[in-house]
Each structure stands twice: as C-alpha cells, then as structure tokens.
Amino acid sequence: MFVPCDRGGDSASSDFKGSTLLVPAVSVGNVGQLAADLVISTFDMTKVGYFYTDCLVPMVGNNPYATAEENSMELSINAEVYSLPSKKLVVLQIRSPFIKNKYRPFCQTLLSWVKSSKCARVVLLSSSHAYQRDDEQLLGTPLRYLLTPDLEKAVGGLMQELNWKEMEKVAAYPGINDTEKVLHIPGGGITKLLFTESCSKGIQMAVLLKFCSEGDNIPDAFALVNYLNEWLQLIKSEVNTSSQWKIPSSWRLLFGNGLPPALF
C-alpha cells in the first residue's frame, strides 16, 4: 500500500488523480528500472511516498539521485513513489526482486492502489529475453508494445501513426499446433500477469518492452525511455537522443565500483 512521506502535510503532492503511472517490471537486464531512473533523475522528481509491501526483498541504501553531499545520505528503500505534478506523472520505482510466489499478491495490491488513487493509466516498462524470440520477432525493431482493451480505444490509433509493433503472440505448442497463439514474455517478470489482470479489471495499461540480453543494459534503458518519449512527449524534441536524459549519480556504482563512503 502507499505510505506518503511526512512533508508538512502537503496532500497535493500525493494527489494522483488523472496521472500517468510508470512502473518498471523486474525483468531481464533491469531495463525498466534503469529507464525509470532516467525519468526520475531528468525531471528531478519529488519523492512523495513509499509502496509498502511484503512481496519484495527488503533493502535499504543511499539516495540514488543525490546531487550534493547534503542529500547523498538520505535513505531509500525497495519501492518508492515519485511525482511530477506539472506533467501529471507518477513513477513507482522498484529496486529489489520479488519473493518467491509473491507475484500475484503484488499485482493485486498494485492494481487496487491504481484504482483507489484514480490514476488515469499505467505504463509498465519491461524487457524480454532476446534469445527466445521466434522468427517473426527477429524482424525489425527490438521494441514492442501491448495495450489493454480500455486503453486501445483511447490511443490505439496513435500507436499506428507511430508505426509501433505490437508484441506478437507465439504458438502455444510449436511444431505440434501452430494455430493456437499465446502471449509469451520470457524474462519479463510480472509483465504478463499484470497485463492480463489489468485487462480483466478494466484498467488502462500499456506495456512497453525491449528484447535484450543480460550485460551492460544502459543502452537498452536509453532505447526504452526514448520509446516512451515518442508517445508521451515528456521531453519535447524532434529527435530522441540519449543526451537529453540525465544519468543519476547512482549509476557510477554499476559494474563493481566501490561503495560510497556516505553509506557508512
């Protein structure tokens, strides 16, 4: 459930009615989480609360978006909520993996909060194993999207104008019965479950994902956030480039760099 920060009783910062909620799936390469980092850092979004749940592995660490020594020692936990009222944008950043068999309870809690907070729509940032693509998915761009029926009515035409490719369904029994097609997102974590639950509950949700492999997934994160920007136009520019996004200070700690002294 959502627990607001104690910021002098300013309830306006946690008024999410009509907002777009960005949520990363804990998926291959952590691409969705890295993309969410770029959005939060670029717009210097305000932390307005926490998403308290027993479905994620507990963790605590330094402020991942520190800009000076004064705020570097602020603590962050496994699931936090950031807001940008000027763009009606909310981000739920998830920083730890799910506990076994906790996918479904988390999805139920998240969608319950989406309804109670009156968010207009949810955008799930995700990824899927590149090596498990079928022949059709090997063609063209490695970026895909999915829309629930309720959101399809609102923005389906725009996706066609953008020339985006919808996530293909694959054969349920390859080589045996190729006519029965199912949605398959290997390495996507909660993506398929959250999407199907949103379809059944009438929630407007879009899934934006990239096929990728584990490794240095920073380029994948830039590709995904630029894909998001094509639609939402968070940053107004004719050409999406990586230079328009602000890299958070915590990315200096990737790939085995030493721990920050402020942690101790």
Side-chain angles (χ1 to χ4, degrees), residues 21-54:
L21 173 65
L22 300 185
V23 183
V26 183
S27 52
V28 55
N30 301 316
V31 175
Q33 294 154 292
L34 293 171
D37 267 351
L38 289 171
V39 174
I40 296 168
S41 180
T42 298
F43 295 105
D44 193 22
M45 295 180 71
T46 302
K47 181 164 68 176
V48 295
Y50 310 91
F51 196 75
Y52 179 76
T53 175
D54 63 355

Side-chain angles (χ1 to χ4, degrees), residues 73-100:
M73 289 182 284
E74 293 178 6
L75 295 181
S76 294
I77 61 171
N78 55 8
E80 297 183 324
V81 180
Y82 296 80
S83 177
L84 186 65
S86 63
K87 292 186 178 291
K88 301 291 285 185
L89 185 67
V90 180
V91 179
L92 167 60
Q93 179 61 300
I94 301 174
R95 299 194 178 94
S96 69
F98 286 88
I99 294 172
K100 186 178 181 180

Side-chain angles (χ1 to χ4, degrees), residues 4 31 36 66 82 98 116 119 127 173 177 193 198-199 201 207 237 264:
V31 175
Y82 296 80
F98 286 88
S116 65
C119 287
S127 51
Y173 306 100
N177 179 4
L193 176 60
S198 296
C199 289
K201 294 180 184 297
V207 175
S237 65
F264 306 99

Side-chain angles (χ1 to χ4, degrees), residues 205-240:
M205 172 178 282
V207 175
L208 308 187
L209 67 82
K210 186 178 187 298
F211 294 116
C212 65
S213 302
E214 292 281 1
D216 180 359
N217 295 104
I218 289 177
D220 298 308
F222 278 115
L224 187 60
V225 79
N226 283 332
Y227 190 52
L228 171 72
N229 196 56
E230 282 184 45
W231 171 25
L232 297 185
Q233 292 291 295
L234 300 174
I235 295 177
K236 304 293 184 181
S237 65
E238 294 184 2
V239 180
N240 281 324

Side-chain angles (χ1 to χ4, degrees), residues 120-122 145-161 164-167 195 198-199 202-207 231:
R121 59 191 174 188
V122 182
Y145 79 93
L146 286 166
L147 299 176
T148 59
D150 287 79
L151 188 56
E152 175 78 38
K153 298 173 186 176
V155 302
L158 175 59
M159 301 311 186
Q160 299 299 320
E161 292 177 16
W164 281 14
K165 292 190 70 173
E166 188 173 4
M167 183 68 171
F195 178 73
S198 296
C199 289
I203 290 175
Q204 294 193 18
M205 172 178 282
V207 175
W231 171 25

